[in-house]
PDB file of all heavy atoms in Angstrom:
ATOM      1  N   GLU A   1       0.809  -1.219   0.000  1.00  0.00           N
ATOM      2  CA  GLU A   1       0.000   0.000   0.000  1.00  0.00           C
ATOM      3  C   GLU A   1       0.841   1.267   0.000  1.00  0.00           C
ATOM      4  O   GLU A   1       0.329   2.364  -0.263  1.00  0.00           O
ATOM      5  CB  GLU A   1      -0.959   0.012   1.197  1.00  0.00           C
ATOM      6  CG  GLU A   1      -0.297   0.022   2.562  1.00  0.00           C
ATOM      7  CD  GLU A   1      -0.087  -1.372   3.127  1.00  0.00           C
ATOM      8  OE1 GLU A   1      -0.048  -2.340   2.336  1.00  0.00           O
ATOM      9  OE2 GLU A   1       0.043  -1.478   4.365  1.00  0.00           O
ATOM     10  N   THR A   2       2.163   1.139   0.255  1.00  0.00           N
ATOM     11  CA  THR A   2       3.043   2.313   0.235  1.00  0.00           C
ATOM     12  C   THR A   2       3.601   2.593  -1.161  1.00  0.00           C
ATOM     13  O   THR A   2       4.314   3.582  -1.349  1.00  0.00           O
ATOM     14  CB  THR A   2       4.210   2.144   1.221  1.00  0.00           C
ATOM     15  OG1 THR A   2       5.081   1.086   0.776  1.00  0.00           O
ATOM     16  CG2 THR A   2       3.710   1.825   2.622  1.00  0.00           C
ATOM     17  N   ILE A   3       3.303   1.735  -2.120  1.00  0.00           N
ATOM     18  CA  ILE A   3       3.738   1.963  -3.508  1.00  0.00           C
ATOM     19  C   ILE A   3       2.717   2.879  -4.172  1.00  0.00           C
ATOM     20  O   ILE A   3       1.511   2.602  -4.166  1.00  0.00           O
ATOM     21  CB  ILE A   3       3.857   0.635  -4.272  1.00  0.00           C
ATOM     22  CG1 ILE A   3       4.913  -0.259  -3.617  1.00  0.00           C
ATOM     23  CG2 ILE A   3       4.209   0.887  -5.734  1.00  0.00           C
ATOM     24  CD1 ILE A   3       4.964  -1.666  -4.180  1.00  0.00           C
ATOM     25  N   ASP A   4       3.179   3.971  -4.732  1.00  0.00           N
ATOM     26  CA  ASP A   4       2.279   4.977  -5.302  1.00  0.00           C
ATOM     27  C   ASP A   4       1.820   4.634  -6.715  1.00  0.00           C
ATOM     28  O   ASP A   4       0.705   4.996  -7.112  1.00  0.00           O
ATOM     29  CB  ASP A   4       2.964   6.348  -5.297  1.00  0.00           C
ATOM     30  CG  ASP A   4       3.280   6.818  -3.882  1.00  0.00           C
ATOM     31  OD1 ASP A   4       2.334   7.187  -3.170  1.00  0.00           O
ATOM     32  OD2 ASP A   4       4.460   6.779  -3.494  1.00  0.00           O
ATOM     33  N   ALA A   5       2.676   3.974  -7.490  1.00  0.00           N
ATOM     34  CA  ALA A   5       2.326   3.656  -8.881  1.00  0.00           C
ATOM     35  C   ALA A   5       3.197   2.509  -9.378  1.00  0.00           C
ATOM     36  O   ALA A   5       4.281   2.247  -8.839  1.00  0.00           O
ATOM     37  CB  ALA A   5       2.505   4.874  -9.782  1.00  0.00           C
ATOM     38  N   VAL A   6       2.697   1.815 -10.398  1.00  0.00           N
ATOM     39  CA  VAL A   6       3.462   0.788 -11.114  1.00  0.00           C
ATOM     40  C   VAL A   6       3.541   1.200 -12.579  1.00  0.00           C
ATOM     41  O   VAL A   6       2.554   1.689 -13.147  1.00  0.00           O
ATOM     42  CB  VAL A   6       2.808  -0.606 -10.986  1.00  0.00           C
ATOM     43  CG1 VAL A   6       3.519  -1.621 -11.881  1.00  0.00           C
ATOM     44  CG2 VAL A   6       2.822  -1.084  -9.538  1.00  0.00           C
ATOM     45  N   VAL A   7       4.705   1.041 -13.174  1.00  0.00           N
ATOM     46  CA  VAL A   7       4.902   1.309 -14.601  1.00  0.00           C
ATOM     47  C   VAL A   7       5.367   0.011 -15.252  1.00  0.00           C
ATOM     48  O   VAL A   7       6.349  -0.596 -14.817  1.00  0.00           O
ATOM     49  CB  VAL A   7       5.951   2.426 -14.824  1.00  0.00           C
ATOM     50  CG1 VAL A   7       6.191   2.646 -16.316  1.00  0.00           C
ATOM     51  CG2 VAL A   7       5.497   3.722 -14.162  1.00  0.00           C
ATOM     52  N   LEU A   8       4.649  -0.444 -16.282  1.00  0.00           N
ATOM     53  CA  LEU A   8       4.979  -1.705 -16.956  1.00  0.00           C
ATOM     54  C   LEU A   8       5.688  -1.448 -18.279  1.00  0.00           C
ATOM     55  O   LEU A   8       5.241  -0.618 -19.077  1.00  0.00           O
ATOM     56  CB  LEU A   8       3.712  -2.517 -17.235  1.00  0.00           C
ATOM     57  CG  LEU A   8       2.886  -2.991 -16.037  1.00  0.00           C
ATOM     58  CD1 LEU A   8       1.689  -3.797 -16.533  1.00  0.00           C
ATOM     59  CD2 LEU A   8       3.731  -3.828 -15.086  1.00  0.00           C
ATOM     60  N   THR A   9       6.776  -2.203 -18.518  1.00  0.00           N
ATOM     61  CA  THR A   9       7.422  -2.129 -19.832  1.00  0.00           C
ATOM     62  C   THR A   9       6.649  -2.933 -20.870  1.00  0.00           C
ATOM     63  O   THR A   9       6.565  -2.535 -22.020  1.00  0.00           O
ATOM     64  CB  THR A   9       8.872  -2.647 -19.772  1.00  0.00           C
ATOM     65  OG1 THR A   9       8.877  -4.020 -19.354  1.00  0.00           O
ATOM     66  CG2 THR A   9       9.710  -1.813 -18.814  1.00  0.00           C
ATOM     67  N   HIS A  10       6.078  -4.076 -20.479  1.00  0.00           N
ATOM     68  CA  HIS A  10       5.229  -4.839 -21.392  1.00  0.00           C
ATOM     69  C   HIS A  10       4.444  -5.889 -20.622  1.00  0.00           C
ATOM     70  O   HIS A  10       4.557  -5.979 -19.388  1.00  0.00           O
ATOM     71  CB  HIS A  10       6.035  -5.463 -22.535  1.00  0.00           C
ATOM     72  CG  HIS A  10       7.011  -6.528 -22.149  1.00  0.00           C
ATOM     73  ND1 HIS A  10       8.191  -6.255 -21.484  1.00  0.00           N
ATOM     74  CD2 HIS A  10       6.993  -7.878 -22.323  1.00  0.00           C
ATOM     75  CE1 HIS A  10       8.858  -7.385 -21.285  1.00  0.00           C
ATOM     76  NE2 HIS A  10       8.144  -8.379 -21.768  1.00  0.00           N
ATOM     77  N   ALA A  11       3.654  -6.684 -21.342  1.00  0.00           N
ATOM     78  CA  ALA A  11       2.620  -7.510 -20.715  1.00  0.00           C
ATOM     79  C   ALA A  11       3.054  -8.911 -20.345  1.00  0.00           C
ATOM     80  O   ALA A  11       2.306  -9.603 -19.641  1.00  0.00           O
ATOM     81  CB  ALA A  11       1.398  -7.591 -21.644  1.00  0.00           C
ATOM     82  N   HIS A  12       4.187  -9.401 -20.800  1.00  0.00           N
ATOM     83  CA  HIS A  12       4.569 -10.770 -20.478  1.00  0.00           C
ATOM     84  C   HIS A  12       4.537 -10.998 -18.967  1.00  0.00           C
ATOM     85  O   HIS A  12       4.866 -10.104 -18.181  1.00  0.00           O
ATOM     86  CB  HIS A  12       5.955 -11.090 -21.042  1.00  0.00           C
ATOM     87  CG  HIS A  12       5.915 -11.556 -22.466  1.00  0.00           C
ATOM     88  ND1 HIS A  12       6.975 -11.387 -23.336  1.00  0.00           N
ATOM     89  CD2 HIS A  12       4.955 -12.199 -23.189  1.00  0.00           C
ATOM     90  CE1 HIS A  12       6.664 -11.897 -24.521  1.00  0.00           C
ATOM     91  NE2 HIS A  12       5.443 -12.394 -24.454  1.00  0.00           N
ATOM     92  N   ILE A  13       4.171 -12.207 -18.574  1.00  0.00           N
ATOM     93  CA  ILE A  13       3.906 -12.513 -17.171  1.00  0.00           C
ATOM     94  C   ILE A  13       5.130 -12.299 -16.284  1.00  0.00           C
ATOM     95  O   ILE A  13       4.996 -11.947 -15.107  1.00  0.00           O
ATOM     96  CB  ILE A  13       3.376 -13.959 -17.046  1.00  0.00           C
ATOM     97  CG1 ILE A  13       1.954 -14.046 -17.620  1.00  0.00           C
ATOM     98  CG2 ILE A  13       3.373 -14.438 -15.606  1.00  0.00           C
ATOM     99  CD1 ILE A  13       0.932 -13.174 -16.896  1.00  0.00           C
ATOM    100  N   ASP A  14       6.332 -12.475 -16.815  1.00  0.00           N
ATOM    101  CA  ASP A  14       7.514 -12.230 -15.983  1.00  0.00           C
ATOM    102  C   ASP A  14       7.769 -10.736 -15.784  1.00  0.00           C
ATOM    103  O   ASP A  14       8.711 -10.349 -15.079  1.00  0.00           O
ATOM    104  CB  ASP A  14       8.751 -12.924 -16.555  1.00  0.00           C
ATOM    105  CG  ASP A  14       9.131 -12.449 -17.943  1.00  0.00           C
ATOM    106  OD1 ASP A  14       8.231 -12.088 -18.714  1.00  0.00           O
ATOM    107  OD2 ASP A  14      10.335 -12.448 -18.269  1.00  0.00           O
ATOM    108  N   HIS A  15       6.895  -9.900 -16.360  1.00  0.00           N
ATOM    109  CA  HIS A  15       6.972  -8.447 -16.154  1.00  0.00           C
ATOM    110  C   HIS A  15       5.694  -7.873 -15.546  1.00  0.00           C
ATOM    111  O   HIS A  15       5.727  -6.788 -14.971  1.00  0.00           O
ATOM    112  CB  HIS A  15       7.271  -7.735 -17.473  1.00  0.00           C
ATOM    113  CG  HIS A  15       8.636  -8.019 -18.000  1.00  0.00           C
ATOM    114  ND1 HIS A  15       9.679  -7.120 -17.899  1.00  0.00           N
ATOM    115  CD2 HIS A  15       9.146  -9.122 -18.613  1.00  0.00           C
ATOM    116  CE1 HIS A  15      10.773  -7.664 -18.434  1.00  0.00           C
ATOM    117  NE2 HIS A  15      10.466  -8.875 -18.870  1.00  0.00           N
ATOM    118  N   SER A  16       4.579  -8.587 -15.696  1.00  0.00           N
ATOM    119  CA  SER A  16       3.294  -8.057 -15.197  1.00  0.00           C
ATOM    120  C   SER A  16       2.568  -9.005 -14.251  1.00  0.00           C
ATOM    121  O   SER A  16       1.625  -8.598 -13.577  1.00  0.00           O
ATOM    122  CB  SER A  16       2.366  -7.758 -16.391  1.00  0.00           C
ATOM    123  OG  SER A  16       1.890  -8.973 -16.971  1.00  0.00           O
ATOM    124  N   GLY A  17       2.987 -10.255 -14.184  1.00  0.00           N
ATOM    125  CA  GLY A  17       2.171 -11.300 -13.566  1.00  0.00           C
ATOM    126  C   GLY A  17       2.029 -11.259 -12.066  1.00  0.00           C
ATOM    127  O   GLY A  17       1.186 -11.976 -11.507  1.00  0.00           O
ATOM    128  N   TYR A  18       2.821 -10.427 -11.370  1.00  0.00           N
ATOM    129  CA  TYR A  18       2.673 -10.329  -9.915  1.00  0.00           C
ATOM    130  C   TYR A  18       1.680  -9.230  -9.517  1.00  0.00           C
ATOM    131  O   TYR A  18       1.297  -9.113  -8.354  1.00  0.00           O
ATOM    132  CB  TYR A  18       4.039 -10.068  -9.259  1.00  0.00           C
ATOM    133  CG  TYR A  18       4.035 -10.231  -7.749  1.00  0.00           C
ATOM    134  CD1 TYR A  18       4.065 -11.486  -7.154  1.00  0.00           C
ATOM    135  CD2 TYR A  18       3.994  -9.111  -6.910  1.00  0.00           C
ATOM    136  CE1 TYR A  18       4.050 -11.636  -5.777  1.00  0.00           C
ATOM    137  CE2 TYR A  18       3.978  -9.251  -5.531  1.00  0.00           C
ATOM    138  CZ  TYR A  18       4.007 -10.517  -4.964  1.00  0.00           C
ATOM    139  OH  TYR A  18       3.991 -10.658  -3.595  1.00  0.00           O
ATOM    140  N   LEU A  19       1.232  -8.443 -10.485  1.00  0.00           N
ATOM    141  CA  LEU A  19       0.350  -7.305 -10.181  1.00  0.00           C
ATOM    142  C   LEU A  19      -0.894  -7.701  -9.373  1.00  0.00           C
ATOM    143  O   LEU A  19      -1.214  -7.040  -8.376  1.00  0.00           O
ATOM    144  CB  LEU A  19      -0.079  -6.625 -11.481  1.00  0.00           C
ATOM    145  CG  LEU A  19       0.642  -5.346 -11.880  1.00  0.00           C
ATOM    146  CD1 LEU A  19       0.152  -4.868 -13.233  1.00  0.00           C
ATOM    147  CD2 LEU A  19       0.455  -4.252 -10.830  1.00  0.00           C
ATOM    148  N   PRO A  20      -1.635  -8.748  -9.775  1.00  0.00           N
ATOM    149  CA  PRO A  20      -2.814  -9.105  -8.979  1.00  0.00           C
ATOM    150  C   PRO A  20      -2.474  -9.498  -7.546  1.00  0.00           C
ATOM    151  O   PRO A  20      -3.255  -9.217  -6.621  1.00  0.00           O
ATOM    152  CB  PRO A  20      -3.409 -10.292  -9.757  1.00  0.00           C
ATOM    153  CG  PRO A  20      -2.930 -10.101 -11.154  1.00  0.00           C
ATOM    154  CD  PRO A  20      -1.546  -9.565 -11.007  1.00  0.00           C
ATOM    155  N   ALA A  21      -1.319 -10.134  -7.343  1.00  0.00           N
ATOM    156  CA  ALA A  21      -0.894 -10.474  -5.985  1.00  0.00           C
ATOM    157  C   ALA A  21      -0.575  -9.209  -5.195  1.00  0.00           C
ATOM    158  O   ALA A  21      -0.909  -9.094  -4.010  1.00  0.00           O
ATOM    159  CB  ALA A  21       0.328 -11.399  -6.026  1.00  0.00           C
ATOM    160  N   LEU A  22       0.057  -8.236  -5.857  1.00  0.00           N
ATOM    161  CA  LEU A  22       0.385  -6.970  -5.196  1.00  0.00           C
ATOM    162  C   LEU A  22      -0.890  -6.244  -4.786  1.00  0.00           C
ATOM    163  O   LEU A  22      -0.990  -5.715  -3.674  1.00  0.00           O
ATOM    164  CB  LEU A  22       1.226  -6.101  -6.138  1.00  0.00           C
ATOM    165  CG  LEU A  22       1.926  -4.896  -5.509  1.00  0.00           C
ATOM    166  CD1 LEU A  22       3.118  -5.349  -4.671  1.00  0.00           C
ATOM    167  CD2 LEU A  22       2.399  -3.924  -6.589  1.00  0.00           C
ATOM    168  N   ALA A  23      -1.866  -6.211  -5.696  1.00  0.00           N
ATOM    169  CA  ALA A  23      -3.136  -5.548  -5.402  1.00  0.00           C
ATOM    170  C   ALA A  23      -3.901  -6.293  -4.307  1.00  0.00           C
ATOM    171  O   ALA A  23      -4.543  -5.672  -3.449  1.00  0.00           O
ATOM    172  CB  ALA A  23      -3.978  -5.454  -6.667  1.00  0.00           C
ATOM    173  N   ARG A  24      -3.821  -7.599  -4.332  1.00  0.00           N
ATOM    174  CA  ARG A  24      -4.482  -8.409  -3.314  1.00  0.00           C
ATOM    175  C   ARG A  24      -3.930  -8.095  -1.913  1.00  0.00           C
ATOM    176  O   ARG A  24      -4.643  -8.195  -0.912  1.00  0.00           O
ATOM    177  CB  ARG A  24      -4.281  -9.887  -3.643  1.00  0.00           C
ATOM    178  CG  ARG A  24      -5.059 -10.864  -2.791  1.00  0.00           C
ATOM    179  CD  ARG A  24      -4.871 -12.282  -3.323  1.00  0.00           C
ATOM    180  NE  ARG A  24      -5.665 -13.237  -2.592  1.00  0.00           N
ATOM    181  CZ  ARG A  24      -5.815 -14.522  -2.942  1.00  0.00           C
ATOM    182  NH1 ARG A  24      -5.219 -14.980  -4.042  1.00  0.00           N
ATOM    183  NH2 ARG A  24      -6.547 -15.336  -2.219  1.00  0.00           N
ATOM    184  N   GLN A  25      -2.645  -7.671  -1.881  1.00  0.00           N
ATOM    185  CA  GLN A  25      -1.994  -7.364  -0.603  1.00  0.00           C
ATOM    186  C   GLN A  25      -2.105  -5.886  -0.212  1.00  0.00           C
ATOM    187  O   GLN A  25      -1.562  -5.482   0.801  1.00  0.00           O
ATOM    188  CB  GLN A  25      -0.511  -7.746  -0.681  1.00  0.00           C
ATOM    189  CG  GLN A  25      -0.268  -9.235  -0.890  1.00  0.00           C
ATOM    190  CD  GLN A  25       1.187  -9.514  -1.216  1.00  0.00           C
ATOM    191  OE1 GLN A  25       2.071  -9.331  -0.383  1.00  0.00           O
ATOM    192  NE2 GLN A  25       1.447  -9.950  -2.444  1.00  0.00           N
ATOM    193  N   GLY A  26      -2.779  -5.087  -1.021  1.00  0.00           N
ATOM    194  CA  GLY A  26      -3.014  -3.711  -0.592  1.00  0.00           C
ATOM    195  C   GLY A  26      -2.643  -2.610  -1.557  1.00  0.00           C
ATOM    196  O   GLY A  26      -2.971  -1.443  -1.322  1.00  0.00           O
ATOM    197  N   PHE A  27      -1.950  -2.911  -2.654  1.00  0.00           N
ATOM    198  CA  PHE A  27      -1.621  -1.861  -3.618  1.00  0.00           C
ATOM    199  C   PHE A  27      -2.900  -1.359  -4.285  1.00  0.00           C
ATOM    200  O   PHE A  27      -3.722  -2.148  -4.756  1.00  0.00           O
ATOM    201  CB  PHE A  27      -0.658  -2.388  -4.680  1.00  0.00           C
ATOM    202  CG  PHE A  27      -0.469  -1.443  -5.843  1.00  0.00           C
ATOM    203  CD1 PHE A  27       0.247  -0.271  -5.691  1.00  0.00           C
ATOM    204  CD2 PHE A  27      -1.039  -1.724  -7.085  1.00  0.00           C
ATOM    205  CE1 PHE A  27       0.403   0.619  -6.749  1.00  0.00           C
ATOM    206  CE2 PHE A  27      -0.874  -0.853  -8.149  1.00  0.00           C
ATOM    207  CZ  PHE A  27      -0.152   0.316  -7.981  1.00  0.00           C
ATOM    208  N   SER A  28      -3.068  -0.041  -4.353  1.00  0.00           N
ATOM    209  CA  SER A  28      -4.265   0.522  -4.975  1.00  0.00           C
ATOM    210  C   SER A  28      -3.941   1.721  -5.865  1.00  0.00           C
ATOM    211  O   SER A  28      -4.831   2.494  -6.227  1.00  0.00           O
ATOM    212  CB  SER A  28      -5.273   0.936  -3.898  1.00  0.00           C
ATOM    213  OG  SER A  28      -4.708   1.911  -3.019  1.00  0.00           O
ATOM    214  N   GLY A  29      -2.662   1.900  -6.206  1.00  0.00           N
ATOM    215  CA  GLY A  29      -2.259   3.018  -7.056  1.00  0.00           C
ATOM    216  C   GLY A  29      -2.567   2.753  -8.515  1.00  0.00           C
ATOM    217  O   GLY A  29      -3.177   1.748  -8.886  1.00  0.00           O
ATOM    218  N   SER A  30      -2.108   3.648  -9.379  1.00  0.00           N
ATOM    219  CA  SER A  30      -2.335   3.510 -10.819  1.00  0.00           C
ATOM    220  C   SER A  30      -1.240   2.664 -11.456  1.00  0.00           C
ATOM    221  O   SER A  30      -0.095   2.645 -10.994  1.00  0.00           O
ATOM    222  CB  SER A  30      -2.369   4.886 -11.484  1.00  0.00           C
ATOM    223  OG  SER A  30      -3.470   5.636 -11.010  1.00  0.00           O
TER     224      SER A  30
END
């Protein structure tokens, strides 16, 4: 929840695939 934003270089899972886990743990930024 202390992370203000995430910036993705591309969609492959080794670059984006942890996002739902991060959000599940409290991340709510853009």
Side-chain angles (χ1 to χ4, degrees):
E1 63 268 22
T2 67
I3 298 172
D4 297 287
V6 173
V7 177
L8 297 181
T9 61
H10 66 288
H12 274 153
I13 289 298
D14 61 328
H15 292 257
S16 72
Y18 192 78
L19 259 176
L22 194 74
R24 188 174 184 172
Q25 297 169 67
F27 170 72
S28 60
S30 296

